[in-house]
PDB file of all heavy atoms in Angstrom:
ATOM      1  N   TRP K 185      -4.392  30.799  17.271  1.00 98.00           N
ATOM      2  CA  TRP K 185      -4.026  29.428  16.945  1.00 98.00           C
ATOM      3  C   TRP K 185      -4.838  28.857  15.783  1.00 98.00           C
ATOM      4  O   TRP K 185      -4.456  27.853  15.207  1.00 98.00           O
ATOM      5  CB  TRP K 185      -4.164  28.539  18.184  1.00 98.00           C
ATOM      6  CG  TRP K 185      -3.188  28.919  19.265  1.00 98.00           C
ATOM      7  CD1 TRP K 185      -2.011  29.615  19.107  1.00 98.00           C
ATOM      8  CD2 TRP K 185      -3.311  28.663  20.660  1.00 98.00           C
ATOM      9  NE1 TRP K 185      -1.391  29.795  20.313  1.00 98.00           N
ATOM     10  CE2 TRP K 185      -2.156  29.222  21.299  1.00 98.00           C
ATOM     11  CE3 TRP K 185      -4.257  28.003  21.452  1.00 98.00           C
ATOM     12  CZ2 TRP K 185      -1.955  29.144  22.673  1.00 98.00           C
ATOM     13  CZ3 TRP K 185      -4.052  27.925  22.819  1.00 98.00           C
ATOM     14  CH2 TRP K 185      -2.922  28.483  23.417  1.00 98.00           C
ATOM     15  N   PHE K 186      -5.951  29.485  15.431  1.00 98.00           N
ATOM     16  CA  PHE K 186      -6.742  29.049  14.288  1.00 98.00           C
ATOM     17  C   PHE K 186      -6.425  29.836  13.015  1.00 98.00           C
ATOM     18  O   PHE K 186      -6.919  29.506  11.932  1.00 98.00           O
ATOM     19  CB  PHE K 186      -8.243  29.187  14.578  1.00 98.00           C
ATOM     20  CG  PHE K 186      -8.767  28.298  15.670  1.00 98.00           C
ATOM     21  CD1 PHE K 186      -9.735  28.764  16.545  1.00 98.00           C
ATOM     22  CD2 PHE K 186      -8.311  26.996  15.820  1.00 98.00           C
ATOM     23  CE1 PHE K 186     -10.242  27.950  17.554  1.00 98.00           C
ATOM     24  CE2 PHE K 186      -8.805  26.171  16.827  1.00 98.00           C
ATOM     25  CZ  PHE K 186      -9.779  26.651  17.696  1.00 98.00           C
ATOM     26  N   ALA K 187      -5.634  30.881  13.145  1.00 96.00           N
ATOM     27  CA  ALA K 187      -5.452  31.827  12.038  1.00 96.00           C
ATOM     28  C   ALA K 187      -4.847  31.186  10.798  1.00 96.00           C
ATOM     29  O   ALA K 187      -5.159  31.588   9.668  1.00 96.00           O
ATOM     30  CB  ALA K 187      -4.584  32.998  12.498  1.00 96.00           C
ATOM     31  N   ARG K 188      -3.994  30.190  10.980  1.00 96.00           N
ATOM     32  CA  ARG K 188      -3.312  29.580   9.836  1.00 96.00           C
ATOM     33  C   ARG K 188      -4.286  28.896   8.878  1.00 96.00           C
ATOM     34  O   ARG K 188      -4.037  28.851   7.663  1.00 96.00           O
ATOM     35  CB  ARG K 188      -2.292  28.560  10.341  1.00 96.00           C
ATOM     36  CG  ARG K 188      -1.565  27.800   9.246  1.00 96.00           C
ATOM     37  CD  ARG K 188      -0.552  26.837   9.822  1.00 96.00           C
ATOM     38  NE  ARG K 188       0.198  26.141   8.783  1.00 96.00           N
ATOM     39  CZ  ARG K 188       1.145  25.235   9.028  1.00 96.00           C
ATOM     40  NH1 ARG K 188       1.469  24.946  10.280  1.00 96.00           N
ATOM     41  NH2 ARG K 188       1.777  24.653   8.035  1.00 96.00           N
ATOM     42  N   SER K 189      -5.378  28.390   9.392  1.00 98.00           N
ATOM     43  CA  SER K 189      -6.196  27.490   8.589  1.00 98.00           C
ATOM     44  C   SER K 189      -7.616  27.954   8.340  1.00 98.00           C
ATOM     45  O   SER K 189      -8.310  27.370   7.511  1.00 98.00           O
ATOM     46  CB  SER K 189      -6.239  26.114   9.266  1.00 98.00           C
ATOM     47  OG  SER K 189      -4.929  25.604   9.427  1.00 98.00           O
ATOM     48  N   VAL K 190      -8.090  28.972   9.043  1.00 98.00           N
ATOM     49  CA  VAL K 190      -9.450  29.463   8.837  1.00 98.00           C
ATOM     50  C   VAL K 190      -9.425  30.563   7.786  1.00 98.00           C
ATOM     51  O   VAL K 190      -8.715  31.556   7.943  1.00 98.00           O
ATOM     52  CB  VAL K 190     -10.063  29.986  10.144  1.00 98.00           C
ATOM     53  CG1 VAL K 190     -11.451  30.577   9.887  1.00 98.00           C
ATOM     54  CG2 VAL K 190     -10.160  28.854  11.170  1.00 98.00           C
ATOM     55  N   ILE K 191     -10.184  30.368   6.718  1.00 98.00           N
ATOM     56  CA  ILE K 191     -10.240  31.357   5.645  1.00 98.00           C
ATOM     57  C   ILE K 191     -11.487  32.219   5.804  1.00 98.00           C
ATOM     58  O   ILE K 191     -12.522  31.742   6.274  1.00 98.00           O
ATOM     59  CB  ILE K 191     -10.245  30.683   4.260  1.00 98.00           C
ATOM     60  CG1 ILE K 191     -11.518  29.851   4.067  1.00 98.00           C
ATOM     61  CG2 ILE K 191      -9.007  29.815   4.082  1.00 98.00           C
ATOM     62  CD1 ILE K 191     -11.810  29.467   2.643  1.00 98.00           C
ATOM     63  N   PRO K 192     -11.429  33.492   5.435  1.00 98.00           N
ATOM     64  CA  PRO K 192     -12.649  34.301   5.469  1.00 98.00           C
ATOM     65  C   PRO K 192     -13.605  33.856   4.374  1.00 98.00           C
ATOM     66  O   PRO K 192     -13.181  33.461   3.281  1.00 98.00           O
ATOM     67  CB  PRO K 192     -12.138  35.722   5.212  1.00 98.00           C
ATOM     68  CG  PRO K 192     -10.867  35.524   4.452  1.00 98.00           C
ATOM     69  CD  PRO K 192     -10.253  34.258   4.980  1.00 98.00           C
ATOM     70  N   VAL K 193     -14.879  33.886   4.670  1.00 98.00           N
ATOM     71  CA  VAL K 193     -15.899  33.596   3.660  1.00 98.00           C
ATOM     72  C   VAL K 193     -16.376  34.919   3.084  1.00 98.00           C
ATOM     73  O   VAL K 193     -16.668  35.868   3.828  1.00 98.00           O
ATOM     74  CB  VAL K 193     -17.078  32.822   4.268  1.00 98.00           C
ATOM     75  CG1 VAL K 193     -18.191  32.628   3.233  1.00 98.00           C
ATOM     76  CG2 VAL K 193     -16.606  31.469   4.792  1.00 98.00           C
ATOM     77  N   CYS K 194     -16.444  34.977   1.758  1.00 98.00           N
ATOM     78  CA  CYS K 194     -16.776  36.233   1.077  1.00 98.00           C
ATOM     79  C   CYS K 194     -18.107  36.133   0.351  1.00 98.00           C
ATOM     80  O   CYS K 194     -18.552  35.048  -0.054  1.00 98.00           O
ATOM     81  CB  CYS K 194     -15.675  36.599   0.085  1.00 98.00           C
ATOM     82  SG  CYS K 194     -14.072  36.897   0.879  1.00 98.00           S
ATOM     83  N   ASP K 195     -18.745  37.282   0.161  1.00 97.00           N
ATOM     84  CA  ASP K 195     -20.012  37.328  -0.565  1.00 97.00           C
ATOM     85  C   ASP K 195     -19.755  37.436  -2.060  1.00 97.00           C
ATOM     86  O   ASP K 195     -18.604  37.332  -2.524  1.00 97.00           O
ATOM     87  CB  ASP K 195     -20.884  38.474  -0.057  1.00 97.00           C
ATOM     88  CG  ASP K 195     -20.255  39.858  -0.265  1.00 97.00           C
ATOM     89  OD1 ASP K 195     -19.289  39.982  -1.046  1.00 97.00           O
ATOM     90  OD2 ASP K 195     -20.733  40.824   0.371  1.00 97.00           O
ATOM     91  N   VAL K 196     -20.803  37.661  -2.834  1.00 94.00           N
ATOM     92  CA  VAL K 196     -20.680  37.675  -4.297  1.00 94.00           C
ATOM     93  C   VAL K 196     -19.823  38.850  -4.776  1.00 94.00           C
ATOM     94  O   VAL K 196     -19.326  38.824  -5.905  1.00 94.00           O
ATOM     95  CB  VAL K 196     -22.071  37.738  -4.964  1.00 94.00           C
ATOM     96  CG1 VAL K 196     -22.837  36.451  -4.707  1.00 94.00           C
ATOM     97  CG2 VAL K 196     -22.870  38.946  -4.484  1.00 94.00           C
ATOM     98  N   LEU K 197     -19.644  39.860  -3.933  1.00 95.00           N
ATOM     99  CA  LEU K 197     -18.810  41.008  -4.295  1.00 95.00           C
ATOM    100  C   LEU K 197     -17.357  40.818  -3.875  1.00 95.00           C
ATOM    101  O   LEU K 197     -16.512  41.686  -4.107  1.00 95.00           O
ATOM    102  CB  LEU K 197     -19.364  42.283  -3.659  1.00 95.00           C
ATOM    103  CG  LEU K 197     -20.785  42.687  -4.067  1.00 95.00           C
ATOM    104  CD1 LEU K 197     -21.219  43.923  -3.311  1.00 95.00           C
ATOM    105  CD2 LEU K 197     -20.871  42.909  -5.571  1.00 95.00           C
TER     106      LEU K 197
END
Side-chain angles (χ1 to χ4, degrees):
W185 295 338
F186 295 142
R188 177 179 183 180
S189 302
V190 176
I191 65 164
V193 175
C194 297
D195 62 15
V196 293
L197 299 177

